[in-house]
Amino acid sequence: MSPESTRPESSPPQRCVINSAAYHNGVRVADVPIPDLGDAWTHSNRFIWVGLYEPNEQVLSHIQKAFGLHDLAIEDAHAAHQRPKLEVYDDSMFVVMRTARLCERGDHRIEFGETHVFLGPRYIITVRHGSLTSHVGLRARCESTPNLLAKGEGFVLHALMDFIVDQYFPVVDALEAELEELEDHIFSGQFVRSVTSRIYHLRRDLLALKQAVTPLSDVSAHLTRMESDLIPADTRPYFQDVHDHVSRIAELIDNLQQLSHTALESNLALISVAQNDDMKRLAGWAAILAVPTMIAGLYGMNFKHMPETEWTWGYPFILSLMILSCVLLYRWFRRLGWF
């Protein structure tokens, strides 16, 4: 069974438990059932790493009693729908992050989720909401580097944040590729109504992604400067790397928002220009047709004294005048660029 595989749903307390294990010197030494977490935590040379997915109140109650977690943090972890943030309590901290992954199917292109983290002396508890697969491979990656995992729960928090932030890059790349495709459509000269709709949905996705990334910049910056035993001094530089990645992603999102706004305005402007060109063509043809209509209407009034009607060349002359007038008007409008 892989480190991040889901356990069988044998009992309500274990239904939402992804993994629960104790580590010593960076090596996994035991799997710890939720009811035994309190006893396992008493080993001073180990730290506990628990992974949960949308836990019920019973599981959270076990967790709270085992580690003495704050009521407000437990309430937030159960309710979800939290903004990315960092809250520090007496001897623990509570971190909220938003995950984002590309959807392989479904109506939404981006699958958002939440990760709540309880961090304290010799324990770290992660609670996922929304996306079950948002942490797949994380534990295996950490266990493959026991020298770093030996740094304890602080390193696990960094690894988790780095893992989540790295998942933002493919999302940003996909949105950037879509924007480039839309720009090609916009300036191709073929105006499709769906392009405007696609730009709107792209801007919505960028806004949702920005709401997930921007607060995380403050969280990572705080962890970099934090003077606490929960984040050892030799672990803080790792959070600086996370902060740099978050800042880079936030900058990319801002650039894409500006470009998408420009693309939307350009699309609307080009559509307006195309409509004006169509109106010019219609007006030009209306003017051309108005000349023979006026001449035909004049000679269709059936007056008795109209010398031209009795002239032998009257009909060919009037017909030639109509054709010549239309040709001259057509050449004039064409020179003006209306046709």
Side-chain angles (χ1 to χ4, degrees), residues 116-273:
H116 300 175
V117 183
F118 297 94
L119 182 72
R122 305 190 319 282
Y123 72 84
I124 181 169
I125 303 156
T126 61
V127 180
R128 297 178 232 178
H129 288 275
S131 175
L132 178 61
T133 59
S134 58
H135 295 182
V136 170
L138 171 63
R139 192 179 293 258
R141 178 191 296 185
C142 292
E143 291 178 350
S144 67
T145 55
N147 57 322
L148 295 176
L149 188 56
K151 295 179 181 293
E153 61 279 358
F155 171 76
V156 175
L157 176 61
H158 155 262
L160 176 60
M161 293 184 66
D162 186 60
F163 190 81
I164 290 175
V165 171
D166 284 346
Q167 292 181 9
Y168 293 149
F169 283 105
V171 177
V172 174
D173 291 341
L175 296 178
E176 184 177 9
E178 182 177 3
L179 179 58
E180 291 177 354
E181 180 184 350
L182 288 171
E183 288 175 339
D184 292 339
H185 280 296
I186 291 171
F187 296 106
S188 66
Q190 300 177 353
F191 303 107
V192 183
R193 181 174 297 180
S194 62
V195 170
T196 303
S197 175
R198 289 178 61 187
I199 295 175
Y200 169 75
H201 289 293
L202 174 65
R203 289 181 58 80
R204 279 186 56 183
D205 289 339
L206 286 170
L207 179 60
L209 190 61
K210 183 175 183 178
Q211 291 174 343
V213 172
T214 302
L216 196 58
S217 179
D218 295 333
V219 173
S220 58
H222 191 180
L223 290 170
T224 302
R225 302 187 302 266
M226 178 174 287
E227 298 290 338
S228 172
D229 294 337
L230 297 176
I231 308 296
D234 60 345
T235 306
R236 291 168 199 159
Y238 292 96
F239 289 101
Q240 181 62 50
D241 180 67
V242 173
H243 180 67
D244 292 341
H245 287 179
V246 173
S247 300
R248 179 185 170 192
I249 294 171
E251 183 178 353
L252 290 174
I253 293 174
D254 288 339
N255 292 339
L256 289 177
Q257 284 185 315
Q258 294 177 7
L259 288 174
S260 63
H261 179 70
T262 303
L264 180 60
E265 289 185 338
S266 300
N267 184 54
L268 296 177
L270 290 174
I271 290 175
S272 179
V273 170

Side-chain angles (χ1 to χ4, degrees), residues 286-338:
I288 292 174
L289 294 175
V291 172
T293 301
M294 181 188 67
I295 296 175
L298 177 65
Y299 286 96
M301 290 187 291
N302 297 323
F303 289 116
K304 292 182 178 180
H305 302 287
M306 296 184 72
E308 300 90 338
T309 58
E310 298 179 1
W311 183 31
T312 303
W313 299 99
Y315 176 73
F317 174 77
I318 294 301
L319 190 61
S320 300
L321 179 62
M322 289 181 181
I323 294 174
L324 180 62
S325 299
C326 291
V327 170
L328 291 176
L329 283 173
Y330 177 81
R331 293 186 63 182
W332 184 50
F333 286 130
R334 189 174 180 83
R335 183 177 298 177
L336 291 177
W338 287 30

